[in-house]
Amino acid sequence: ENKKFTTVSFFNSRLTSVISIALVLFLLGLIFLMGLMGDTLSRFVKENITFSVVLKDNIREAEVKRMQKRLEAEPFIKSAEYISKEQASKELEEELGERPETFLGFNPLQASLEVKLNSEYANPDSLQLIEKKIKTYTNVSELLYRKDMMEIVNDNMKRIGIILLTLAVVLMIISFVLISNTIR
């Protein structure tokens, strides 16, 4: 009967070890999957943060189209969409429910190019260089973008990456210890 007890005990310890190792490796796989999904989400968010290149009032549409094509040819720009004064006024009317011309007597908005960056360039260092390059265009009045949002996205992605990496390292150590104990 003692031999039967050790066989059952041996079988139970093996089964427990296999289940433990499988669960740790499963969790490790989930963490890597979350890392990949986080990277895809980060790229999506970075590429959908836009900034406005506000154009001077006296610019002709042909010049805007030329400028738009030059901007779209830059490696750091994903897309550039022209928004005329009239289109900006219509969008503001949809938000406010009233045309700005009715209470101001004129359209205070300026034409602009809504620019989306490629995700590799959507960080504060690159943005400063991009801002300088775009401001060299003679027809640019100003650049408007949410620098703080870009920094928040980058900081959060770094934090999430560090947390996931730490969890992955801890789970790797646990799996090595479990496998080592099982082999012994």
Side-chain angles (χ1 to χ4, degrees):
E1 188 166 312
N2 195 14
K3 189 176 184 182
K4 198 177 203 184
F5 178 73
T6 53
T7 307
V8 170
S9 173
F10 179 72
F11 178 74
N12 282 341
S13 67
R14 277 182 133 177
L15 182 64
T16 305
S17 296
V18 168
I19 290 173
S20 300
I21 293 169
L23 285 174
V24 168
L25 292 176
F26 177 73
L27 288 174
L28 191 60
L30 277 178
I31 287 175
F32 282 120
L33 185 63
M34 286 172 55
L36 290 174
M37 288 172 54
D39 185 52
T40 304
L41 179 65
S42 168
R43 185 175 298 118
F44 175 78
V45 169
K46 286 179 179 180
E47 287 183 349
N48 282 302
I49 294 176
T50 61
F51 66 92
S52 298
V53 178
V54 181
L55 305 171
K56 292 183 179 173
D57 271 335
N58 56 357
I59 189 169
R60 291 187 309 249
E61 196 151 336
E63 292 176 50
V64 172
K65 294 294 181 191
R66 246 191 329 262
M67 185 177 169
Q68 183 178 4
K69 284 185 178 162
R70 282 197 344 225
L71 281 173
E72 286 177 337
E74 296 286 351
F76 49 83
I77 293 186
K78 182 181 179 193
S79 67
E81 179 187 353
Y82 174 62
I83 297 179
S84 66
K85 287 179 74 162
E86 293 76 27
Q87 187 178 351
S89 177
K90 285 178 187 174
E91 288 176 9
L92 187 62
E93 179 185 1
E94 288 173 13
E95 287 179 28
L96 298 177
E98 192 173 354
R99 292 186 68 83
E101 290 92 350
T102 56
F103 56 90
L104 289 176
F106 66 97
N107 184 357
L109 304 171
Q110 292 176 287
S112 65
L113 286 169
E114 294 294 314
V115 177
K116 292 183 180 182
L117 299 175
N118 286 318
S119 63
E120 306 88 56
Y121 297 97
N123 55 57
D125 300 339
S126 297
L127 274 176
Q128 289 176 349
L129 297 173
I130 292 168
E131 187 176 356
K132 285 179 187 174
K133 184 162 188 150
I134 290 177
K135 282 186 175 180
T136 61
Y137 289 92
T138 55
N139 296 319
V140 173
S141 174
E142 63 181 317
L143 240 90
L144 303 173
Y145 64 95
R146 300 271 319 262
K147 189 183 286 189
D148 58 332
M149 185 176 321
M150 196 71 69
E151 289 172 357
I152 288 170
V153 168
N154 283 321
D155 290 345
N156 285 342
M157 293 318 295
K158 283 179 187 174
R159 277 192 209 112
I160 290 171
I162 289 170
I163 290 169
L164 288 178
L165 185 63
T166 304
L167 281 172
V169 167
V170 168
L171 287 174
M172 287 288 280
I173 291 170
I174 291 171
S175 69
F176 284 130
V177 168
L178 284 173
I179 291 170
S180 170
N181 285 339
T182 304
I183 291 173
R184 278 192 225 149

